Amino acid sequence: MRASVEVADIFRAAGPAYRATHAGHLSLHQLKVMSAIEHCRTAVMGGHVEACTDCGHWRVAYNSCRNRHCPRCQGAAARAWLAEREADLLPVGYFHVVFTLPAQVADIAFHNKALVYDLLFKAASETMLTIAADPKHLGARIGITAVLHTWGSAMTHHPHVHIIVPGGGIARDGTRWISSRPAFLLPVKVLGKLFRRLFLTRLMALHAAGRLAFFGALAHLADRRAFLRHLSSVRKKNWVVYAKPPFAGPQAVLAYLSRYTHRVAISNSRLLAFDGAGVTMRYKDYRRDGADRQQVMTLATHEFIRRFLLHVLPRGFHRIRHYGLLAGATRKAHLEHARQLLGIAPPPDNETPDEPTDVRPPCPCCGGHMVVIETFERWRQPRAPPHSTASTGTTAP
């Protein structure tokens, strides 16, 4: 069911004025994201006409933009990704660990998204792999799926990485599976210290190489001494690594991933109202507990758009990554080895894949099967149905 208010509605109504006001300050990529969301599932994208094989009712279906920042398009993308990942799950407990950047570092990341977000992935994953491999802790090689989120609930800039990891791994000599304790994976204080050291060491190396850019209020950080002073406080404070309780089985992992992997800065379901001047939305205030955590705020329309565009990722940047046992071309072999050590059968290998499921909704009139009878290109409208069809009592959209 379509939400009463959508991000696309806001962009269509206020996008032209926002682009005019901020001309020269929006990247080409941000402009393309706005355009894709505005035109998603409209005649601009082209589409097809479906007709019911039973009663003849017909309807128009416009194409999706498939942009990864579009709230409308992420459901299908998440389902396809999860179908591929389901075979990777092992029958063990899974843990959820979150690595977050302090505010002083998040400010630097804002102007250097590709470099600092990439560093966040690498430092977090290396921290997990290093501590897990240490015989004082788990003493095993683990597998990691990491997902980048750059927003807080109110769409402020809050970069952090969610890591999903099995509760155990393959011993360093490859002869056995080592399981973690049921409700404990790795010590978060140890993780936090190593994460801080790895991240700051490499961030300072990027600065020394002249690869970081600074603008506005942070322009003075181009100076090495000012940069080090800016980081002095975070070098002494604890970097909090949050470990959530383990999931209740692999299916719970899939349910979680379906909510997190393809999430965008705000879903349409959180939007409550839009009157042209402001956008009212739900958000979570994590400083409160219980029912008070759910709050409502109204943002000026241009401020809402600004916050949404904060989270447009650099072109080609991968926001879901795999490490350790789940990395790259060796993933299949590592998972097969893990299943052998766990004494479980491998998942069935379907040489002849099933026919794709027909995802078209049934006929709204009689519940019959809908088939495509016409396609039309971008910027075109479909032809009207023939009079004979109209005379049967079916309705057009």
Side-chain angles (χ1 to χ4, degrees):
M1 181 180 295
R2 186 185 188 276
S4 58
V5 180
E6 296 192 354
V7 173
D9 299 326
I10 300 166
F11 278 12
R12 280 192 286 266
Y18 185 86
R19 287 188 286 267
T21 302
H22 297 84
H25 297 281
L26 297 175
S27 69
L28 177 61
H29 190 43
Q30 287 175 321
L31 292 171
K32 287 183 176 180
V33 169
M34 289 186 71
S35 177
I37 294 174
E38 290 174 32
H39 296 144
C40 185
R41 300 185 191 179
T42 68
V44 173
M45 304 301 297
H48 60 268
V49 180
E50 300 171 354
C52 177
T53 56
D54 294 332
C55 71
H57 171 83
W58 69 281
R59 68 183 170 209
V60 176
Y62 295 114
N63 293 333
S64 300
C65 68
R66 299 188 180 182
N67 189 286
R68 62 175 171 169
H69 300 94
C70 176
R72 272 190 168 190
C73 292
Q74 296 317 298
R79 287 190 294 272
W81 187 85
L82 287 171
E84 296 174 358
R85 298 276 78 80
E86 188 170 7
D88 294 348
L89 292 176
L90 298 171
V92 299
Y94 277 75
F95 290 81
H96 175 199
V97 185
V98 184
F99 289 80
T100 303
L101 293 181
Q104 296 90 330
V105 179
D107 292 340
I108 297 171
F110 180 76
H111 296 293
N112 302 274
K113 291 181 178 179
L115 284 173
V116 179
Y117 292 168
D118 183 66
L119 178 53
L120 172 56
F121 266 119
K122 290 177 178 177
S125 61
E126 186 173 336
T127 296
M128 290 290 295
L129 293 171
T130 300
I131 301 302
D134 189 335
K136 293 186 296 183
H137 299 293
L138 188 62
R141 189 178 185 200
I142 60 174
I144 290 173
T145 294
V147 183
L148 173 70
H149 284 183
T150 64
W151 55 85
S153 186
M155 294 201 298
T156 52
H157 188 235
H158 180 63
H160 54 285
V161 165
H162 295 264
I163 286 181
I164 309 301
V165 55
I170 298 176
R172 290 185 295 175
D173 60 6
T175 59
R176 61 195 178 97
W177 176 269
I178 301 177
S179 296
S180 68
R181 283 183 267 170
F184 179 83
L185 180 64
L186 298 169
V188 292
K189 288 187 177 180
V190 176
L191 292 173
K193 288 181 179 179
L194 180 57
F195 175 56
R196 179 184 62 191
R197 178 168 64 81
L198 290 176
F199 189 95
L200 290 179
T201 299
R202 294 172 186 179
L203 184 66
M204 289 187 287
L206 289 173
H207 188 279
R211 298 184 63 190
L212 298 179
F214 301 98
F215 306 96
L218 297 184
H220 66 287
L221 296 185
D223 177 75
R224 180 72 172 177
R225 287 175 295 182
F227 181 73
L228 294 177
R229 283 196 300 271
H230 181 78
L231 295 181
S232 61
S233 61
V234 297
R235 295 173 71 178
K236 299 173 184 176
K237 69 186 296 186
N238 293 327
W239 285 32
V240 178
V241 176
Y242 177 52
K244 293 189 176 183
F247 293 101
Q251 292 306 314
V253 179
L254 282 179
Y256 171 85
L257 287 174
S258 68
R259 296 193 303 270
Y260 271 76
T261 52
H262 292 72
R263 182 177 286 184
V264 296
I266 188 168
S267 63
N268 288 325
S269 61
R270 286 175 53 203
L271 300 178
L272 301 178
F274 170 57
D275 62 3
V279 181
T280 302
M281 66 182 195
R282 289 194 302 269
Y283 75 102
K284 290 181 180 179
D285 185 345
Y286 289 98
R287 296 168 297 182
R288 303 171 184 247
D289 294 320
D292 290 338
R293 178 165 286 187
Q294 290 287 345
Q295 295 287 312
V296 173
M297 69 161 51
T298 299
L299 295 173
T301 302
H302 279 208
E303 173 62 12
F304 175 88
I305 296 176
R306 185 193 72 84
R307 291 194 189 188
F308 187 94
L309 295 180
L310 287 180
H311 309 292
V312 171
L313 293 174
R315 185 176 180 85
F317 189 90
H318 294 280
R319 63 184 299 263
I320 305 173
R321 303 187 184 187
H322 307 278
Y323 299 92
L325 301 180
L326 300 179
T330 59
R331 173 184 57 83
K332 186 174 181 180
H334 284 146
L335 288 172
E336 183 178 345
H337 186 197
R339 290 189 178 95
Q340 290 174 353
L341 296 175
L342 288 165
I344 59 174
D349 186 10
N350 296 324
E351 295 183 0
T352 56
D354 296 334
E355 290 294 322
T357 303
D358 189 349
V359 297
R360 282 188 291 274
C363 174
C365 296
C366 69
H369 180 61
M370 303 292 286
V371 296
V372 176
I373 60 172
E374 178 190 351
T375 60
F376 51 95
E377 298 177 355
R378 297 164 65 94
W379 297 96
R380 298 283 182 88
Q381 288 285 358
R383 294 173 295 176
H387 293 295
S388 58
T389 302
S391 65
T392 64
T394 58
T395 57

